[in-house]
């Protein structure tokens, strides 16, 4: 029998003031009889009342007793113990309590939790009526973990029992692996804050040891779905535990990158299961926060310096209440780990391939993941750089992480603990230590090995096709032509939730810095207002906007269409250009609401500022209308109408770019929409007597923006065929603003819906 605190998979049983620990091979009896392992001296307890046995996890069984075994006043016959459980025996209300704590791994790690000695865990904490959990010293449960916020969560006693509430933490609170803003905390539920796991048993929280040594497990995993014609898809089975390095080797298109996305939980497999630290990766949002995926092409903004890019990443992914000094230290640490200390001041665009790959790894190390998946880090590197990259990955594995690296250019495989060779179609050709590669493959040339794998895969595919009457639908490598990726959808729930306003602020500051570092973009932003004024002055009469007429109409058309184009085009270009960056940050937990809010704040704000500046400069050069309809000042009404139009047009550019079928379609799409707005704004083609164009024009911001300005100028009084929306009326002006607001809200909704997908 094991001692408490030793042995993987141990079970600790507490009853009648006694605590004992058992190993998986033990058969544990609880009852009144002297022969039982746990003896309860209570007449309501049967002589042999409970049996506890290990069957791929501890299971409790009632031995058909007279008074039963009860959990929360529900009778039990058999039930998995899970992480922990408290039951009453003999009576559902006041029978003796048996507390069970099951651990699936060796002790010694509680994540960021400080312990009192080797393998020691803090004592259980009584729940009471109210307690708080966080990094700050004023909490009832203090967790020394950089992924835990200063005030992370609290547990309160409500009318229906204890409830856990997230306090706006950066890295979420989880109950049984699910994100929990507010959730009931019942007996046996596992609460996770940062890297610390606690289980509620009876009215106490027990700290659970870390589970890093259970590692990564993939059972019967299919990388590609089954091909048509009934042919079975190849399956993979992997085990990776402790600090270890696995290399996945194979030719292009064999499924290496898709395999990494499956292991990370970014794609859901059509068959098979992926578990990490004993949790299903696709069913458990919490466990995905410990997995980092480094894409083949790093997606850091090219015009930022390395240090600045990592600093923004640290702000996004670490708790907001961690100070700047701690974030700076975290950035300095990952720079040192990846050998980029001397490159901190260089722009990302100036880095060579080796340093760009290292930067991608450094960005993921900011949150100290325990499983690191790196896609094709050796591609295009010379042999010396490839060797150094493999040594870096070996060093990261030796620090206690599991590291999986894919490559089609194998180098220094002797540094790996194991190698998986994939044939075309994601079929396993070899899995074992590097020393076994020479025995498995005849040639020592990987080009010859890949050719042989392709030949064998094609032969198998042809044979299978002959047996099933198919075969015409596959490549030579045996991989089905359609679909070329797993049919299951991407897992859409974020692994990490951030506060919207805080993350939007970080993204907005990053976007503004990028604007400042790009002279062309900065010059365009500065020159928009002067150009609009020059054009407006060129087409205006000396009376400006003071006298309704053709001159005033031309000025309004220039202002509205100029602002519409200046707002929509930059926003659309930026969103299209950042699609890979957004996708990666979204997978890492960025909320789409924060991303959209940042874009609207930067590009909508810039367009609104340009509109305001253009109107003010124009009014300084030309007179304006005398009478306002609602706000008391005509110039103020024109400023408000044009600024709102600018923000809505920025949203229009975002929705067109977000819903374009490809990046290359974004700018042509926005250009087309701008041309349509030019034709149907009402300033070039009279819409009062054209019902069909007028009906289509109500969908366009420029139509309502021009109308709002025309109402203030009273343009309908000076036009032979007045537009009904140009009447000098407070009601019409308000209607125009409400229509613009509705269009902006619809554009934001459609953009957000697309970003979430």
């Amino acid at each position: 029998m094991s001692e408490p605190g030793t042995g993987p998979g141990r079970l600790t049983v507490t009853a009648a003031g006694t605590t004992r620990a058992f190993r998986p091979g033990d058969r544990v009896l609880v009852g009144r009889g002297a022969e039982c392992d746990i003896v309860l001296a209570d007449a309501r307890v049967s002589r042999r009342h409970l049996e506890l046995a290990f069957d791929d996890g501890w299971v409790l069984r009632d031995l058909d007793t007279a008074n039963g075994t009860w959990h929360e006043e529900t009778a039990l016959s058999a039930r998995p113990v899970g992480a922990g459980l408290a039951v009453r025996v003999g009576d559902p209300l006041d029978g003796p309590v048996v507390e069970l704590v099951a651990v699936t791994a060796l002790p010694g790690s509680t994540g960021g939790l400080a312990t009192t000695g080797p393998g020691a865990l803090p004592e259980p904490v009584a729940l009471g009526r109210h307690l708080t959990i966080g990094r700050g010293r004023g909490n009832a449960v203090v967790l020394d973990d950089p992924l835990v916020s200063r005030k992370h969560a609290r547990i309160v006693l409500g009318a229906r029992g204890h409830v856990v509430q997230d306090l706006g933490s950066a890295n979420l609170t989880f109950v049984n692996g699910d994100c929990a803003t507010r959730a009931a905390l019942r007996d046996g539920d596992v609460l996770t804050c940062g890297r610390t796991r606690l289980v509620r048993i009876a009215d106490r929280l027990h700290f659970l040891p870390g589970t890093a040594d259970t590692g990564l497990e993939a059972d019967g995993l299919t990388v590609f779905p089954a091909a048509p014609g009934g042919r079975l898809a190849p399956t993979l089975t992997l085990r990776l535990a402790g600090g270890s390095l696995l290399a996945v080797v194979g030719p292009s298109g064999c499924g290496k990158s898709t395999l990494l996305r499956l292991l990370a939980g970014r794609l859901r497999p059509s068959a098979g299961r992926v578990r990490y630290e004993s949790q299903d990766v696709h069913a458990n949002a919490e466990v995905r926060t410990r997995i980092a995926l480094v894409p083949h092409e790093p997606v850091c903004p090219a015009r930022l310096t390395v240090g600045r890019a990592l600093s923004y990443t640290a702000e996004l992914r670490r708790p907001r209440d961690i100070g700047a000094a701690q974030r700076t230290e975290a950035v300095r640490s990952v720079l040192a780990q990846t050998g980029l200390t001397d490159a901190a001041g260089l722009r990302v665009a100036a880095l060579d391939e080796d340093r760009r790959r290292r930067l991608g790894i450094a960005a993921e190390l900011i949150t100290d993941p325990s499983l690191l998946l790196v896609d094709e880090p050796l591609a295009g590197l010379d042999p010396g750089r490839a060797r150094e990259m493999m040594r870096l990955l070996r060093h990261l594995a030796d620090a206690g992480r599991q590291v999986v690296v894919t490559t089609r250019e194998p180098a220094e495989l002797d540094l790996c603990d194991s190698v998986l060779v994939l044939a075309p179609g994601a079929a396993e050709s070899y899995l074992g230590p590097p020393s076994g590669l020479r025995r498995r493959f005849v040639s020592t040339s990987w080009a010859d090995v890949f050719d042989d794998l392709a030949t064998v895969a094609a032969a198998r595919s042809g044979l299978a096709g002959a047996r099933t009457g198919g075969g015409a639908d596959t490549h030579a490598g045996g991989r089905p032509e359609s679909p070329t990726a797993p049919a299951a959808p991407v897992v859409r729930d974020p692994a990490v939730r951030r506060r919207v306003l805080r993350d939007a602020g970080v993204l907005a500051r990053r976007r503004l810095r990028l604007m400042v570092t790009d002279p062309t973009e900065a010059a365009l932003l500065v020159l928009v207002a002067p150009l609009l004024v020059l054009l407006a002055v060129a087409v205006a009469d000396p009376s400006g906007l003071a006298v309704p007429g053709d001159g005033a109409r031309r000025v309004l058309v220039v202002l509205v269409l100029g602002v519409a184009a200046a707002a929509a085009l930059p926003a659309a270009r930026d969103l299209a250009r950042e699609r890979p960056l957004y996708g990666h940050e979204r997978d890492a937990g960025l909320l789409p609401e924060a991303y959209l809010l940042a874009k609207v704040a930067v590009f909508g704000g810039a367009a609104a500022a340009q509109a305001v500046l253009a109107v003010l400069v124009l009014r300084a050069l030309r007179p304006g209308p005398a009478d306002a309809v609602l706000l008391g000042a005509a110039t103020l009404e024109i400023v408000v109408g044009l600024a709102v139009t600018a923000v809505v047009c920025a949203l229009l550019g975002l929705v067109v770019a977000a819903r374009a079928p490809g990046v290359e379609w974004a700018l042509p799409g926005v250009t087309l929409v701008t041309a349509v707005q030019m034709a149907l704004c009402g300033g070039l083609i009279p819409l009062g007597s054209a019902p069909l164009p007028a009906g289509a024009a109500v969908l366009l911001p420029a139509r309502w923006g021009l109308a709002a300005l025309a109402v203030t100028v009273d343009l309908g009084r000076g036009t032979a065929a007045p537009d009904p929306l140009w009447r000098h009326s407070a009601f019409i002006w308000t209607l125009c603003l409400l229509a613009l607001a509705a269009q902006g809200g619809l554009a934001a909704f459609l953009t957000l819906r697309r970003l979430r997908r």
Side-chain angles (χ1 to χ4, degrees):
M1 191 175 299
S2 63
E3 295 298 324
T6 64
R10 76 187 186 279
L11 175 72
T12 302
V13 183
T14 302
T18 302
T19 298
R20 294 186 63 185
F22 303 90
R23 291 178 176 174
D26 298 332
R27 178 174 178 265
V28 185
L29 291 176
V30 180
R32 200 177 68 251
E35 72 277 12
C36 293
D37 300 284
I38 303 293
V39 179
L40 300 174
D42 191 304
R44 295 167 295 182
V45 179
S46 298
R47 184 170 297 278
R48 293 159 62 93
H49 200 107
L50 288 178
E51 178 190 61
L52 296 161
F54 191 87
D55 182 11
D56 194 25
W58 287 97
V59 179
L60 173 150
R61 294 183 178 87
D62 181 89
L63 298 177
D64 197 22
T65 58
N67 295 322
T69 302
W70 304 84
H71 178 256
E72 296 183 342
E73 301 185 27
T74 301
L76 299 180
S77 57
R79 171 170 174 158
V81 172
L85 196 64
V87 297
R88 289 187 180 271
V89 293
D91 189 278
L93 298 178
D94 62 354
V97 177
V98 179
E99 296 184 4
L100 311 170
V101 181
V103 180
T104 58
L106 287 168
S109 170
T110 60
L113 185 67
T115 60
T116 57
L121 290 173
E123 293 295 321
V125 179
L127 287 173
R129 300 189 61 84
H130 179 278
L131 67 82
T132 57
I133 303 172
R135 206 179 68 253
R137 298 301 168 187
N139 295 286
V141 179
V142 178
L143 305 179
D144 185 14
D145 183 349
L147 297 183
V148 173
S149 297
R150 193 171 300 280
K151 290 186 177 180
H152 197 101
R154 69 176 167 221
I155 302 174
V156 296
L157 179 61
R160 297 185 179 181
H162 285 91
V163 175
V164 60
Q165 301 172 338
D166 183 81
L167 298 178
S169 63
N171 292 313
L172 268 182
T173 301
F174 298 88
V175 175
N176 297 327
D178 295 325
C179 304
T181 302
R182 179 184 175 89
L185 188 66
R186 300 182 177 88
D187 186 70
D189 285 349
V190 176
L191 173 66
T192 305
C193 299
R195 298 187 183 91
T196 304
R197 300 167 66 238
L198 307 99
V199 58
R200 177 189 173 176
I201 301 174
D203 289 326
R204 296 191 298 172
L205 285 177
H206 292 252
F207 290 87
L208 292 176
T211 55
D213 58 313
T214 59
L216 177 68
E217 306 170 81
D219 294 310
L221 186 66
T222 58
V223 176
F224 298 116
R231 295 190 295 279
L232 296 177
T235 61
L236 297 174
T237 297
L238 298 173
R239 297 287 187 275
L240 199 63
S244 55
L245 175 60
L246 167 68
V248 181
V249 179
S252 298
C254 71
K256 302 185 297 298
S257 299
T258 304
L259 173 61
L260 289 194
R261 293 180 64 80
L262 290 169
L263 296 179
R266 309 284 173 84
L267 293 176
R268 196 179 296 274
S270 55
R273 190 179 189 187
V274 180
R275 292 168 64 87
Y276 185 62
E277 297 184 354
S278 303
Q279 302 295 323
D280 189 310
V281 166
H282 298 92
N284 190 310
E286 180 267 326
V287 77
R288 292 199 294 275
T289 64
R290 308 177 216 166
I291 303 173
L293 175 61
V294 182
H296 169 54
E297 288 295 335
V299 288
C300 293
R303 294 196 303 276
L304 293 179
T305 64
V306 170
R308 183 68 65 177
L310 290 176
S311 179
Y312 283 126
T313 300
E315 283 193 77
L316 288 171
R317 300 192 188 182
R318 294 172 73 91
R320 66 186 182 279
D321 51 21
I322 285 183
Q326 291 173 286
R327 285 196 301 270
T328 301
E329 180 57 34
V331 170
R332 187 181 297 114
S333 175
V334 298
L335 286 171
Q337 289 182 63
T338 53
L340 290 175
T341 301
D342 61 339
L346 298 179
R347 286 195 178 188
V348 175
L351 300 181
D352 57 23
E353 283 298 316
D354 175 59
R355 285 181 165 180
R356 285 173 61 84
R357 306 275 167 74
R358 290 171 180 265
L359 176 59
I361 295 172
E364 300 306 318
L365 292 178
I366 284 289
T367 55
D368 194 21
S370 52
L371 173 59
L372 184 65
L373 310 174
V374 190
D375 191 20
E376 295 283 2
L378 308 183
L381 301 185
D382 62 57
R385 294 291 183 88
R387 175 189 300 162
E388 291 302 316
M389 178 64 72
M390 289 300 294
R391 288 176 177 172
L392 167 62
L393 298 174
R394 177 70 262 173
H395 174 74
L396 295 176
D398 291 339
R401 297 180 182 86
Q402 289 103 48
V403 180
V404 181
V405 54
T406 67
T407 179
R408 60 179 182 271
E409 302 174 12
E412 304 296 328
L413 293 181
D414 289 341
L415 294 173
C416 301
D417 297 292
S418 53
V419 178
L420 169 64
V421 180
L422 292 182
E428 178 187 318
S429 181
Y430 173 79
L431 176 59
S435 58
L437 290 169
R438 295 181 182 275
R439 294 190 298 271
R440 170 62 180 84
F441 301 107
V442 176
S443 176
T444 58
S445 168
W446 281 103
D448 294 337
V449 171
F450 288 171
D451 285 343
D452 291 342
L453 292 176
T455 302
V456 172
R460 288 177 178 172
S461 175
L463 181 59
R467 283 198 295 260
T468 60
D473 57 339
T474 59
H475 292 296
R479 175 180 168 183
E481 284 188 356
S482 178
T484 57
V490 174
V491 179
R492 293 173 187 166
D493 55 312
V496 183
R497 188 202 59 198
R498 312 266 193 256
R499 292 298 293 266
V500 173
L501 292 178
R502 175 236 183 193
D503 277 12
V506 176
L507 293 172
R509 284 191 286 108
R510 186 177 71 181
R511 181 65 252 172
L512 290 173
R513 180 169 289 275
L514 287 170
M515 287 181 174
V516 171
T517 57
D518 186 347
T520 302
E521 188 173 6
L524 288 175
L525 287 174
V526 172
L527 292 175
V528 164
L531 288 175
L532 283 178
V533 172
L534 287 175
L535 289 173
V537 170
V539 300
D541 293 334
S543 59
L545 299 177
V547 178
D550 287 342
R553 176 181 56 80
R554 290 193 297 268
V555 171
L556 297 185
V557 169
V558 167
L559 290 177
V560 171
L561 294 181
V563 163
L569 288 170
R573 183 187 64 176
D574 186 69
L575 184 64
R577 188 170 52 191
E578 282 194 351
R579 272 189 178 184
L581 176 62
Y582 168 74
H584 185 67
E585 291 181 337
R586 173 82 168 100
D587 287 337
L590 175 68
L591 278 179
E593 292 86 351
Y595 185 77
L596 176 60
L597 184 59
K599 294 301 177 192
V600 175
V602 172
F603 291 99
Q610 291 166 346
V612 171
L613 182 61
V615 172
L616 294 179
V617 174
L618 178 64
R619 281 288 290 107
L621 299 176
R622 291 287 186 272
D627 298 325
V629 296
L630 185 65
L631 300 183
T635 300
L636 178 60
E637 286 183 356
I638 293 176
V639 164
V640 171
L642 195 60
V644 172
T645 303
V647 175
V648 176
C649 287
L651 281 163
L652 181 63
L654 292 174
V655 71
V656 171
R659 294 193 165 265
V663 175
E664 67 279 3
W665 289 90
L667 289 182
V670 174
T671 303
L672 177 62
V673 171
T674 302
V676 173
Q677 290 206 101
M678 181 182 298
L680 298 181
C681 68
L684 300 180
I685 300 175
L687 299 178
S689 58
L692 187 60
V698 299
L699 302 175
L700 302 173
R703 165 66 167 153
W704 296 101
L706 181 65
L709 272 60
V711 167
T712 300
V713 176
D714 196 11
L715 200 58
R717 182 166 56 87
T719 306
D723 191 303
L725 289 180
W726 292 357
R727 184 161 52 90
H728 196 63
S729 161
F731 172 77
I732 298 296
W733 190 86
T734 304
L735 176 65
C736 293
L737 269 292
L738 289 176
L740 285 170
Q743 289 179 337
L746 179 61
F749 169 76
L750 294 175
T751 305
L752 184 60
R753 187 173 180 181
R754 183 64 175 176
L755 290 175
R756 285 174 175 167
R757 299 170 68 178

